[in-house]
DNA sequence: TAGTGCAGTCTCTAACTGAGACCAATCCTC
DNA sequence: GAGGATTGGTCTCAGTTAGAGACTGCACTA
C-alpha cells in the first residue's frame, strides 16, 4: 500500500467516525485555528512575544474587535499567554505557549504547500473564470 | 540553529513581507482552504470520488447552500473536478485532482496535531472558563 | 397517488464581521 | 498648558455572510 493510500485510509477513518461538531476533535480544533485570523496571529507570534498593537500592525487589515476576540480564544485554548504590565498606558504582551509553538510545525507545512502551489491555483482560477465567462 | 528557530525565522519572513490579502499567497490560499467546510470536504473526498448528496451526508451539518458554494470554489481552485452524468435523476460526481490530493498531506499533519493535542486544548479551555467564572 | 431521491436554486432570517467612536491616563510637542 | 498621540481595549451600528427550509422537474417506488 502506498503512502498515499495509507493517508486516504486514515482520513477516511476520521470521516467515517463522524465529523459532527462537538464530538469530533478534528472539527473541534480545526474550527478554531482554521478561522481567518488565528493562523495569521500564530505566525506573527512565531517570531517572539508581541504587544497588542504590534500584532495589530503586523496583521494589516484586522480590526481591534477581531484581534481582541481571536486573542481571547487562542488564550482560552492554551495556545498563547497574556501578560499585563500595570504601567500607564497599559502594556500587554502575548506570547506562544509550548502548545502554541507545537502548532507552528503543521501550520508551516500548510503554508509551504500554499506557497508552492499558489501558481497552479491561480492558473486554475483563471481557467475557470475564463470558461465561466464564455458561457 | 535549532529546527524550531529555523521555523520561526521562516514564518517571521512571511509575516515581514506583508500579510495583506491579495498580494500574499499565504493569505490568498489559507482564506480558501482554511474555511469551515473546505478542509472537511477534502478529507471526505480523500477516500475516493463521491456524489453531491453523499458528501452532504458525510459532513453532517453542512447545508446544501454551503455545500454547493464550497464545492464550486474548490473546483475553481483546481482542487477537485466535477463530472455530470446526464442521467435522470442527474448524477454529479466530485473527485480530487492531483493538486487536491497534494493538499491532503499537510492537512493530515494538521489533523493529526489536532487529534494529539485535543486533550490539552480541552484542559486549557476548562481552566480558562473556571477562572473566568470565579471572577 | 403520494412519497423519495437527485442536484441544485431561491428567499428570508439569524449570526457574525468590520468600521469607527469612545475610555482614562500619561507622555510629547508647541 | 492645549492639543495630539499611544496604550489596550469596549460598545454600537451597519453591512456581509451563513443557515434553514421551501421549491424545481423528472423518474422511480410503495
Amino acid at each position: 500500500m502506498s503512502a498515499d493510500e495509507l493517508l486516504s485510509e486514515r482520513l477516511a477513518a476520521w470521516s467515517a467516525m463522524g465529523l459532527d461538531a462537538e464530538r469530533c476533535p478534528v472539527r473541534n480544533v480545526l474550527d478554531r485555528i482554521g478561522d481567518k485570523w488565528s493562523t495569521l496571529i500564530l505566525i506573527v507570534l512565531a517570531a517572539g512575544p508581541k504587544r497588542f498593537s504590534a500584532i495589530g500592525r503586523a496583521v494589516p487589515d484586522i480590526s481591534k474587535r477581531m484581534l481582541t476576540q481571536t486573542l481571547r480564544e487562542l488564550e482560552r485554548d492554551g495556545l498563547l499567554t497574556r501578560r499585563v504590565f500595570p504601567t500607564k498606558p497599559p502594556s500587554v504582551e502575548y506570547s506562544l505557549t509550548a502548545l502554541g509553538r507545537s502548532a507552528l510545525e503543521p501550520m508551516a507545512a500548510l503554508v509551504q504547500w500554499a506557497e508552492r502551489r499558489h501558481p497552479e491555483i491561480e492558473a486554475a482560477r483563471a481557467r475557470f473564470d475564463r470558461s465561466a465567462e464564455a458561457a
Side-chain angles (χ1 to χ4, degrees), chain A residues 55-91:
Chain A
I55 302 173
R57 279 188 295 269
V59 184
D61 48 357
I62 192 172
S63 65
K64 281 161 165 254
R65 194 179 160 282
M66 276 297 102
L67 183 53
T68 306
Q69 198 172 114
T70 311
L71 286 170
R72 277 298 125 74
E73 280 167 346
L74 290 173
E75 187 197 358
R76 176 168 182 260
D77 287 358
L79 297 177
L80 52 80
T81 49
R82 177 174 180 271
R83 235 182 337 159
V84 185
F85 300 97
T87 59
K88 289 191 169 168
S91 168

PDB file of all heavy atoms in Angstrom, chain A residues 55-91:
ATOM      1  N   ILE A  55       0.871  43.371  17.186  1.00  0.00           N
ATOM      2  CA  ILE A  55       0.213  42.305  16.419  1.00  0.00           C
ATOM      3  C   ILE A  55      -0.749  42.933  15.418  1.00  0.00           C
ATOM      4  O   ILE A  55      -0.812  42.535  14.262  1.00  0.00           O
ATOM      5  CB  ILE A  55      -0.540  41.340  17.358  1.00  0.00           C
ATOM      6  CG1 ILE A  55       0.428  40.729  18.374  1.00  0.00           C
ATOM      7  CG2 ILE A  55      -1.223  40.247  16.560  1.00  0.00           C
ATOM      8  CD1 ILE A  55      -0.252  39.897  19.446  1.00  0.00           C
ATOM      9  N   GLY A  56      -1.470  43.941  15.898  1.00  0.00           N
ATOM     10  CA  GLY A  56      -2.403  44.640  15.027  1.00  0.00           C
ATOM     11  C   GLY A  56      -1.713  45.220  13.803  1.00  0.00           C
ATOM     12  O   GLY A  56      -2.243  45.146  12.693  1.00  0.00           O
ATOM     13  N   ARG A  57      -0.534  45.774  14.011  1.00  0.00           N
ATOM     14  CA  ARG A  57       0.189  46.341  12.872  1.00  0.00           C
ATOM     15  C   ARG A  57       0.709  45.254  11.949  1.00  0.00           C
ATOM     16  O   ARG A  57       0.752  45.430  10.723  1.00  0.00           O
ATOM     17  CB  ARG A  57       1.355  47.203  13.384  1.00  0.00           C
ATOM     18  CG  ARG A  57       0.932  48.596  13.820  1.00  0.00           C
ATOM     19  CD  ARG A  57       2.146  49.471  14.142  1.00  0.00           C
ATOM     20  NE  ARG A  57       2.892  48.964  15.301  1.00  0.00           N
ATOM     21  CZ  ARG A  57       2.660  49.332  16.563  1.00  0.00           C
ATOM     22  NH1 ARG A  57       1.697  50.192  16.827  1.00  0.00           N
ATOM     23  NH2 ARG A  57       3.377  48.840  17.553  1.00  0.00           N
ATOM     24  N   ALA A  58       1.079  44.109  12.529  1.00  0.00           N
ATOM     25  CA  ALA A  58       1.637  43.013  11.728  1.00  0.00           C
ATOM     26  C   ALA A  58       0.587  42.339  10.850  1.00  0.00           C
ATOM     27  O   ALA A  58       0.899  41.816   9.785  1.00  0.00           O
ATOM     28  CB  ALA A  58       2.305  41.982  12.630  1.00  0.00           C
ATOM     29  N   VAL A  59      -0.647  42.324  11.319  1.00  0.00           N
ATOM     30  CA  VAL A  59      -1.747  41.766  10.527  1.00  0.00           C
ATOM     31  C   VAL A  59      -2.567  42.957  10.041  1.00  0.00           C
ATOM     32  O   VAL A  59      -3.490  43.392  10.718  1.00  0.00           O
ATOM     33  CB  VAL A  59      -2.621  40.817  11.367  1.00  0.00           C
ATOM     34  CG1 VAL A  59      -3.702  40.183  10.507  1.00  0.00           C
ATOM     35  CG2 VAL A  59      -1.768  39.734  12.013  1.00  0.00           C
ATOM     36  N   PRO A  60      -2.258  43.464   8.862  1.00  0.00           N
ATOM     37  CA  PRO A  60      -2.701  44.788   8.455  1.00  0.00           C
ATOM     38  C   PRO A  60      -4.194  45.054   8.596  1.00  0.00           C
ATOM     39  O   PRO A  60      -4.592  46.032   9.185  1.00  0.00           O
ATOM     40  CB  PRO A  60      -2.272  44.870   6.987  1.00  0.00           C
ATOM     41  CG  PRO A  60      -1.243  43.832   6.815  1.00  0.00           C
ATOM     42  CD  PRO A  60      -1.570  42.760   7.788  1.00  0.00           C
ATOM     43  N   ASP A  61      -5.019  44.173   8.091  1.00  0.00           N
ATOM     44  CA  ASP A  61      -6.425  44.542   7.993  1.00  0.00           C
ATOM     45  C   ASP A  61      -7.330  43.894   9.037  1.00  0.00           C
ATOM     46  O   ASP A  61      -8.524  43.771   8.836  1.00  0.00           O
ATOM     47  CB  ASP A  61      -6.948  44.257   6.583  1.00  0.00           C
ATOM     48  CG  ASP A  61      -6.547  42.863   6.128  1.00  0.00           C
ATOM     49  OD1 ASP A  61      -5.834  42.185   6.890  1.00  0.00           O
ATOM     50  OD2 ASP A  61      -6.946  42.462   5.033  1.00  0.00           O
ATOM     51  N   ILE A  62      -6.761  43.550  10.179  1.00  0.00           N
ATOM     52  CA  ILE A  62      -7.613  43.029  11.244  1.00  0.00           C
ATOM     53  C   ILE A  62      -8.137  44.205  12.071  1.00  0.00           C
ATOM     54  O   ILE A  62      -7.432  45.188  12.270  1.00  0.00           O
ATOM     55  CB  ILE A  62      -6.836  42.018  12.140  1.00  0.00           C
ATOM     56  CG1 ILE A  62      -7.807  41.271  13.054  1.00  0.00           C
ATOM     57  CG2 ILE A  62      -5.747  42.719  12.945  1.00  0.00           C
ATOM     58  CD1 ILE A  62      -7.159  40.121  13.824  1.00  0.00           C
ATOM     59  N   SER A  63      -9.377  44.105  12.517  1.00  0.00           N
ATOM     60  CA  SER A  63      -9.925  45.174  13.349  1.00  0.00           C
ATOM     61  C   SER A  63      -9.609  44.877  14.803  1.00  0.00           C
ATOM     62  O   SER A  63      -9.377  43.731  15.186  1.00  0.00           O
ATOM     63  CB  SER A  63     -11.429  45.267  13.153  1.00  0.00           C
ATOM     64  OG  SER A  63     -12.058  44.094  13.615  1.00  0.00           O
ATOM     65  N   LYS A  64      -9.589  45.924  15.633  1.00  0.00           N
ATOM     66  CA  LYS A  64      -9.311  45.735  17.048  1.00  0.00           C
ATOM     67  C   LYS A  64     -10.277  44.715  17.638  1.00  0.00           C
ATOM     68  O   LYS A  64      -9.885  43.864  18.447  1.00  0.00           O
ATOM     69  CB  LYS A  64      -9.519  47.054  17.804  1.00  0.00           C
ATOM     70  CG  LYS A  64      -8.384  48.035  17.689  1.00  0.00           C
ATOM     71  CD  LYS A  64      -8.876  49.447  18.047  1.00  0.00           C
ATOM     72  CE  LYS A  64      -7.713  50.386  18.300  1.00  0.00           C
ATOM     73  NZ  LYS A  64      -7.568  50.675  19.745  1.00  0.00           N
ATOM     74  N   ARG A  65     -11.499  44.813  17.217  1.00  0.00           N
ATOM     75  CA  ARG A  65     -12.523  43.918  17.735  1.00  0.00           C
ATOM     76  C   ARG A  65     -12.167  42.445  17.493  1.00  0.00           C
ATOM     77  O   ARG A  65     -12.165  41.623  18.419  1.00  0.00           O
ATOM     78  CB  ARG A  65     -13.846  44.252  17.056  1.00  0.00           C
ATOM     79  CG  ARG A  65     -15.059  43.655  17.705  1.00  0.00           C
ATOM     80  CD  ARG A  65     -16.291  44.094  16.931  1.00  0.00           C
ATOM     81  NE  ARG A  65     -17.403  43.211  17.192  1.00  0.00           N
ATOM     82  CZ  ARG A  65     -17.535  42.027  16.627  1.00  0.00           C
ATOM     83  NH1 ARG A  65     -16.633  41.582  15.807  1.00  0.00           N
ATOM     84  NH2 ARG A  65     -18.582  41.285  16.916  1.00  0.00           N
ATOM     85  N   MET A  66     -11.827  42.128  16.262  1.00  0.00           N
ATOM     86  CA  MET A  66     -11.477  40.758  15.901  1.00  0.00           C
ATOM     87  C   MET A  66     -10.152  40.345  16.533  1.00  0.00           C
ATOM     88  O   MET A  66      -9.974  39.194  16.910  1.00  0.00           O
ATOM     89  CB  MET A  66     -11.382  40.623  14.375  1.00  0.00           C
ATOM     90  CG  MET A  66     -12.711  40.392  13.702  1.00  0.00           C
ATOM     91  SD  MET A  66     -13.494  38.834  14.202  1.00  0.00           S
ATOM     92  CE  MET A  66     -14.728  39.410  15.357  1.00  0.00           C
ATOM     93  N   LEU A  67      -9.231  41.301  16.654  1.00  0.00           N
ATOM     94  CA  LEU A  67      -7.954  40.989  17.273  1.00  0.00           C
ATOM     95  C   LEU A  67      -8.164  40.575  18.731  1.00  0.00           C
ATOM     96  O   LEU A  67      -7.676  39.525  19.171  1.00  0.00           O
ATOM     97  CB  LEU A  67      -7.019  42.198  17.178  1.00  0.00           C
ATOM     98  CG  LEU A  67      -5.605  42.011  17.729  1.00  0.00           C
ATOM     99  CD1 LEU A  67      -4.917  40.801  17.134  1.00  0.00           C
ATOM    100  CD2 LEU A  67      -4.765  43.270  17.488  1.00  0.00           C
ATOM    101  N   THR A  68      -8.918  41.392  19.459  1.00  0.00           N
ATOM    102  CA  THR A  68      -9.226  41.063  20.848  1.00  0.00           C
ATOM    103  C   THR A  68      -9.879  39.693  20.948  1.00  0.00           C
ATOM    104  O   THR A  68      -9.460  38.829  21.714  1.00  0.00           O
ATOM    105  CB  THR A  68     -10.206  42.100  21.435  1.00  0.00           C
ATOM    106  OG1 THR A  68      -9.657  43.395  21.237  1.00  0.00           O
ATOM    107  CG2 THR A  68     -10.426  41.866  22.904  1.00  0.00           C
ATOM    108  N   GLN A  69     -10.896  39.504  20.133  1.00  0.00           N
ATOM    109  CA  GLN A  69     -11.676  38.274  20.193  1.00  0.00           C
ATOM    110  C   GLN A  69     -10.826  37.036  19.885  1.00  0.00           C
ATOM    111  O   GLN A  69     -10.879  36.037  20.613  1.00  0.00           O
ATOM    112  CB  GLN A  69     -12.809  38.381  19.176  1.00  0.00           C
ATOM    113  CG  GLN A  69     -13.932  37.415  19.409  1.00  0.00           C
ATOM    114  CD  GLN A  69     -15.098  37.718  18.466  1.00  0.00           C
ATOM    115  OE1 GLN A  69     -15.418  36.929  17.602  1.00  0.00           O
ATOM    116  NE2 GLN A  69     -15.715  38.877  18.632  1.00  0.00           N
ATOM    117  N   THR A  70     -10.034  37.138  18.833  1.00  0.00           N
ATOM    118  CA  THR A  70      -9.210  35.997  18.437  1.00  0.00           C
ATOM    119  C   THR A  70      -8.137  35.698  19.485  1.00  0.00           C
ATOM    120  O   THR A  70      -7.902  34.531  19.831  1.00  0.00           O
ATOM    121  CB  THR A  70      -8.564  36.243  17.062  1.00  0.00           C
ATOM    122  OG1 THR A  70      -9.562  36.678  16.144  1.00  0.00           O
ATOM    123  CG2 THR A  70      -7.913  34.990  16.541  1.00  0.00           C
ATOM    124  N   LEU A  71      -7.523  36.750  20.016  1.00  0.00           N
ATOM    125  CA  LEU A  71      -6.509  36.545  21.053  1.00  0.00           C
ATOM    126  C   LEU A  71      -7.124  35.873  22.275  1.00  0.00           C
ATOM    127  O   LEU A  71      -6.529  34.959  22.863  1.00  0.00           O
ATOM    128  CB  LEU A  71      -5.880  37.885  21.443  1.00  0.00           C
ATOM    129  CG  LEU A  71      -4.893  38.494  20.439  1.00  0.00           C
ATOM    130  CD1 LEU A  71      -4.528  39.915  20.826  1.00  0.00           C
ATOM    131  CD2 LEU A  71      -3.641  37.638  20.320  1.00  0.00           C
ATOM    132  N   ARG A  72      -8.327  36.298  22.659  1.00  0.00           N
ATOM    133  CA  ARG A  72      -9.008  35.672  23.796  1.00  0.00           C
ATOM    134  C   ARG A  72      -9.205  34.183  23.578  1.00  0.00           C
ATOM    135  O   ARG A  72      -8.965  33.361  24.462  1.00  0.00           O
ATOM    136  CB  ARG A  72     -10.391  36.315  24.007  1.00  0.00           C
ATOM    137  CG  ARG A  72     -10.459  37.572  24.767  1.00  0.00           C
ATOM    138  CD  ARG A  72      -9.988  37.492  26.194  1.00  0.00           C
ATOM    139  NE  ARG A  72      -8.946  38.512  26.375  1.00  0.00           N
ATOM    140  CZ  ARG A  72      -9.185  39.812  26.460  1.00  0.00           C
ATOM    141  NH1 ARG A  72     -10.398  40.279  26.464  1.00  0.00           N
ATOM    142  NH2 ARG A  72      -8.188  40.664  26.571  1.00  0.00           N
ATOM    143  N   GLU A  73      -9.643  33.862  22.365  1.00  0.00           N
ATOM    144  CA  GLU A  73      -9.929  32.454  22.087  1.00  0.00           C
ATOM    145  C   GLU A  73      -8.660  31.604  22.041  1.00  0.00           C
ATOM    146  O   GLU A  73      -8.643  30.473  22.502  1.00  0.00           O
ATOM    147  CB  GLU A  73     -10.717  32.331  20.781  1.00  0.00           C
ATOM    148  CG  GLU A  73     -12.197  32.631  21.007  1.00  0.00           C
ATOM    149  CD  GLU A  73     -12.946  32.836  19.707  1.00  0.00           C
ATOM    150  OE1 GLU A  73     -12.302  33.007  18.663  1.00  0.00           O
ATOM    151  OE2 GLU A  73     -14.197  32.826  19.746  1.00  0.00           O
ATOM    152  N   LEU A  74      -7.614  32.189  21.495  1.00  0.00           N
ATOM    153  CA  LEU A  74      -6.343  31.462  21.457  1.00  0.00           C
ATOM    154  C   LEU A  74      -5.786  31.289  22.867  1.00  0.00           C
ATOM    155  O   LEU A  74      -5.171  30.264  23.181  1.00  0.00           O
ATOM    156  CB  LEU A  74      -5.336  32.191  20.568  1.00  0.00           C
ATOM    157  CG  LEU A  74      -5.635  32.176  19.068  1.00  0.00           C
ATOM    158  CD1 LEU A  74      -4.672  33.083  18.317  1.00  0.00           C
ATOM    159  CD2 LEU A  74      -5.571  30.760  18.516  1.00  0.00           C
ATOM    160  N   GLU A  75      -6.029  32.292  23.697  1.00  0.00           N
ATOM    161  CA  GLU A  75      -5.590  32.186  25.092  1.00  0.00           C
ATOM    162  C   GLU A  75      -6.395  31.093  25.798  1.00  0.00           C
ATOM    163  O   GLU A  75      -5.846  30.258  26.512  1.00  0.00           O
ATOM    164  CB  GLU A  75      -5.790  33.527  25.800  1.00  0.00           C
ATOM    165  CG  GLU A  75      -5.202  33.552  27.207  1.00  0.00           C
ATOM    166  CD  GLU A  75      -5.754  34.703  28.026  1.00  0.00           C
ATOM    167  OE1 GLU A  75      -6.564  35.499  27.484  1.00  0.00           O
ATOM    168  OE2 GLU A  75      -5.404  34.796  29.222  1.00  0.00           O
ATOM    169  N   ARG A  76      -7.678  31.116  25.556  1.00  0.00           N
ATOM    170  CA  ARG A  76      -8.561  30.121  26.151  1.00  0.00           C
ATOM    171  C   ARG A  76      -8.138  28.706  25.774  1.00  0.00           C
ATOM    172  O   ARG A  76      -8.153  27.790  26.592  1.00  0.00           O
ATOM    173  CB  ARG A  76      -9.994  30.384  25.689  1.00  0.00           C
ATOM    174  CG  ARG A  76     -10.994  29.362  26.151  1.00  0.00           C
ATOM    175  CD  ARG A  76     -12.416  29.814  25.931  1.00  0.00           C
ATOM    176  NE  ARG A  76     -13.341  28.821  26.436  1.00  0.00           N
ATOM    177  CZ  ARG A  76     -13.966  27.933  25.676  1.00  0.00           C
ATOM    178  NH1 ARG A  76     -13.776  27.902  24.379  1.00  0.00           N
ATOM    179  NH2 ARG A  76     -14.783  27.047  26.228  1.00  0.00           N
ATOM    180  N   ASP A  77      -7.717  28.528  24.539  1.00  0.00           N
ATOM    181  CA  ASP A  77      -7.307  27.208  24.064  1.00  0.00           C
ATOM    182  C   ASP A  77      -5.893  26.850  24.502  1.00  0.00           C
ATOM    183  O   ASP A  77      -5.388  25.777  24.159  1.00  0.00           O
ATOM    184  CB  ASP A  77      -7.383  27.149  22.534  1.00  0.00           C
ATOM    185  CG  ASP A  77      -8.820  27.090  22.046  1.00  0.00           C
ATOM    186  OD1 ASP A  77      -9.726  27.055  22.894  1.00  0.00           O
ATOM    187  OD2 ASP A  77      -9.037  27.079  20.829  1.00  0.00           O
ATOM    188  N   GLY A  78      -5.251  27.778  25.225  1.00  0.00           N
ATOM    189  CA  GLY A  78      -3.919  27.477  25.739  1.00  0.00           C
ATOM    190  C   GLY A  78      -2.809  27.580  24.709  1.00  0.00           C
ATOM    191  O   GLY A  78      -1.722  27.047  24.915  1.00  0.00           O
ATOM    192  N   LEU A  79      -3.068  28.278  23.612  1.00  0.00           N
ATOM    193  CA  LEU A  79      -2.036  28.399  22.581  1.00  0.00           C
ATOM    194  C   LEU A  79      -1.134  29.603  22.836  1.00  0.00           C
ATOM    195  O   LEU A  79      -0.017  29.661  22.339  1.00  0.00           O
ATOM    196  CB  LEU A  79      -2.670  28.499  21.197  1.00  0.00           C
ATOM    197  CG  LEU A  79      -3.479  27.279  20.772  1.00  0.00           C
ATOM    198  CD1 LEU A  79      -4.127  27.510  19.418  1.00  0.00           C
ATOM    199  CD2 LEU A  79      -2.578  26.058  20.689  1.00  0.00           C
ATOM    200  N   LEU A  80      -1.627  30.548  23.587  1.00  0.00           N
ATOM    201  CA  LEU A  80      -0.791  31.689  23.937  1.00  0.00           C
ATOM    202  C   LEU A  80      -1.144  32.194  25.335  1.00  0.00           C
ATOM    203  O   LEU A  80      -2.197  31.879  25.877  1.00  0.00           O
ATOM    204  CB  LEU A  80      -0.888  32.810  22.898  1.00  0.00           C
ATOM    205  CG  LEU A  80      -2.244  33.335  22.475  1.00  0.00           C
ATOM    206  CD1 LEU A  80      -2.807  34.313  23.491  1.00  0.00           C
ATOM    207  CD2 LEU A  80      -2.121  34.036  21.130  1.00  0.00           C
ATOM    208  N   THR A  81      -0.226  32.967  25.903  1.00  0.00           N
ATOM    209  CA  THR A  81      -0.475  33.562  27.221  1.00  0.00           C
ATOM    210  C   THR A  81      -0.489  35.076  27.102  1.00  0.00           C
ATOM    211  O   THR A  81       0.146  35.645  26.222  1.00  0.00           O
ATOM    212  CB  THR A  81       0.617  33.175  28.228  1.00  0.00           C
ATOM    213  OG1 THR A  81       1.888  33.404  27.636  1.00  0.00           O
ATOM    214  CG2 THR A  81       0.491  31.730  28.633  1.00  0.00           C
ATOM    215  N   ARG A  82      -1.215  35.669  28.018  1.00  0.00           N
ATOM    216  CA  ARG A  82      -1.393  37.118  28.027  1.00  0.00           C
ATOM    217  C   ARG A  82      -0.832  37.624  29.345  1.00  0.00           C
ATOM    218  O   ARG A  82      -1.224  37.161  30.419  1.00  0.00           O
ATOM    219  CB  ARG A  82      -2.891  37.400  27.925  1.00  0.00           C
ATOM    220  CG  ARG A  82      -3.292  38.848  27.995  1.00  0.00           C
ATOM    221  CD  ARG A  82      -4.788  38.944  27.723  1.00  0.00           C
ATOM    222  NE  ARG A  82      -5.233  40.325  27.782  1.00  0.00           N
ATOM    223  CZ  ARG A  82      -5.643  40.930  28.894  1.00  0.00           C
ATOM    224  NH1 ARG A  82      -5.647  40.286  30.039  1.00  0.00           N
ATOM    225  NH2 ARG A  82      -6.039  42.188  28.864  1.00  0.00           N
ATOM    226  N   ARG A  83       0.116  38.546  29.255  1.00  0.00           N
ATOM    227  CA  ARG A  83       0.685  39.094  30.471  1.00  0.00           C
ATOM    228  C   ARG A  83       0.488  40.601  30.477  1.00  0.00           C
ATOM    229  O   ARG A  83       0.868  41.288  29.526  1.00  0.00           O
ATOM    230  CB  ARG A  83       2.174  38.754  30.563  1.00  0.00           C
ATOM    231  CG  ARG A  83       2.464  38.031  31.886  1.00  0.00           C
ATOM    232  CD  ARG A  83       3.917  37.706  32.063  1.00  0.00           C
ATOM    233  NE  ARG A  83       4.625  37.646  30.786  1.00  0.00           N
ATOM    234  CZ  ARG A  83       5.941  37.788  30.706  1.00  0.00           C
ATOM    235  NH1 ARG A  83       6.667  37.969  31.789  1.00  0.00           N
ATOM    236  NH2 ARG A  83       6.545  37.728  29.534  1.00  0.00           N
ATOM    237  N   VAL A  84      -0.114  41.090  31.554  1.00  0.00           N
ATOM    238  CA  VAL A  84      -0.395  42.520  31.659  1.00  0.00           C
ATOM    239  C   VAL A  84       0.632  43.169  32.561  1.00  0.00           C
ATOM    240  O   VAL A  84       0.851  42.716  33.687  1.00  0.00           O
ATOM    241  CB  VAL A  84      -1.797  42.767  32.256  1.00  0.00           C
ATOM    242  CG1 VAL A  84      -2.129  44.251  32.239  1.00  0.00           C
ATOM    243  CG2 VAL A  84      -2.840  41.973  31.507  1.00  0.00           C
ATOM    244  N   PHE A  85       1.275  44.222  32.091  1.00  0.00           N
ATOM    245  CA  PHE A  85       2.175  45.003  32.923  1.00  0.00           C
ATOM    246  C   PHE A  85       1.412  46.244  33.353  1.00  0.00           C
ATOM    247  O   PHE A  85       0.916  46.988  32.512  1.00  0.00           O
ATOM    248  CB  PHE A  85       3.437  45.375  32.144  1.00  0.00           C
ATOM    249  CG  PHE A  85       4.205  44.188  31.671  1.00  0.00           C
ATOM    250  CD1 PHE A  85       4.053  43.690  30.384  1.00  0.00           C
ATOM    251  CD2 PHE A  85       5.068  43.507  32.541  1.00  0.00           C
ATOM    252  CE1 PHE A  85       4.742  42.578  29.956  1.00  0.00           C
ATOM    253  CE2 PHE A  85       5.765  42.386  32.113  1.00  0.00           C
ATOM    254  CZ  PHE A  85       5.601  41.920  30.825  1.00  0.00           C
ATOM    255  N   PRO A  86       1.310  46.456  34.668  1.00  0.00           N
ATOM    256  CA  PRO A  86       0.427  47.515  35.162  1.00  0.00           C
ATOM    257  C   PRO A  86       1.053  48.903  35.033  1.00  0.00           C
ATOM    258  O   PRO A  86       1.066  49.664  35.976  1.00  0.00           O
ATOM    259  CB  PRO A  86       0.230  47.120  36.631  1.00  0.00           C
ATOM    260  CG  PRO A  86       1.482  46.406  36.999  1.00  0.00           C
ATOM    261  CD  PRO A  86       2.032  45.785  35.740  1.00  0.00           C
ATOM    262  N   THR A  87       1.558  49.197  33.876  1.00  0.00           N
ATOM    263  CA  THR A  87       2.086  50.523  33.609  1.00  0.00           C
ATOM    264  C   THR A  87       0.956  51.401  33.083  1.00  0.00           C
ATOM    265  O   THR A  87      -0.146  50.914  32.816  1.00  0.00           O
ATOM    266  CB  THR A  87       3.169  50.455  32.525  1.00  0.00           C
ATOM    267  OG1 THR A  87       2.587  49.895  31.350  1.00  0.00           O
ATOM    268  CG2 THR A  87       4.335  49.595  32.975  1.00  0.00           C
ATOM    269  N   LYS A  88       1.229  52.664  32.972  1.00  0.00           N
ATOM    270  CA  LYS A  88       0.259  53.543  32.350  1.00  0.00           C
ATOM    271  C   LYS A  88       0.966  54.368  31.311  1.00  0.00           C
ATOM    272  O   LYS A  88       1.906  55.062  31.644  1.00  0.00           O
ATOM    273  CB  LYS A  88      -0.363  54.453  33.412  1.00  0.00           C
ATOM    274  CG  LYS A  88      -1.271  53.669  34.303  1.00  0.00           C
ATOM    275  CD  LYS A  88      -2.110  54.484  35.196  1.00  0.00           C
ATOM    276  CE  LYS A  88      -3.167  53.532  35.812  1.00  0.00           C
ATOM    277  NZ  LYS A  88      -3.877  54.157  36.907  1.00  0.00           N
ATOM    278  N   PRO A  89       0.525  54.271  30.064  1.00  0.00           N
ATOM    279  CA  PRO A  89      -0.545  53.441  29.489  1.00  0.00           C
ATOM    280  C   PRO A  89      -0.243  51.953  29.639  1.00  0.00           C
ATOM    281  O   PRO A  89       0.930  51.579  29.657  1.00  0.00           O
ATOM    282  CB  PRO A  89      -0.549  53.849  28.017  1.00  0.00           C
ATOM    283  CG  PRO A  89       0.724  54.543  27.774  1.00  0.00           C
ATOM    284  CD  PRO A  89       1.223  55.050  29.071  1.00  0.00           C
ATOM    285  N   PRO A  90      -1.279  51.133  29.761  1.00  0.00           N
ATOM    286  CA  PRO A  90      -1.087  49.701  29.985  1.00  0.00           C
ATOM    287  C   PRO A  90      -0.297  49.028  28.876  1.00  0.00           C
ATOM    288  O   PRO A  90      -0.294  49.479  27.740  1.00  0.00           O
ATOM    289  CB  PRO A  90      -2.505  49.159  30.027  1.00  0.00           C
ATOM    290  CG  PRO A  90      -3.308  50.149  29.296  1.00  0.00           C
ATOM    291  CD  PRO A  90      -2.679  51.463  29.552  1.00  0.00           C
ATOM    292  N   SER A  91       0.372  47.974  29.257  1.00  0.00           N
ATOM    293  CA  SER A  91       1.154  47.217  28.289  1.00  0.00           C
ATOM    294  C   SER A  91       0.796  45.751  28.438  1.00  0.00           C
ATOM    295  O   SER A  91       0.829  45.213  29.541  1.00  0.00           O
ATOM    296  CB  SER A  91       2.631  47.468  28.574  1.00  0.00           C
ATOM    297  OG  SER A  91       3.426  46.573  27.877  1.00  0.00           O
TER     298      SER A  91
END
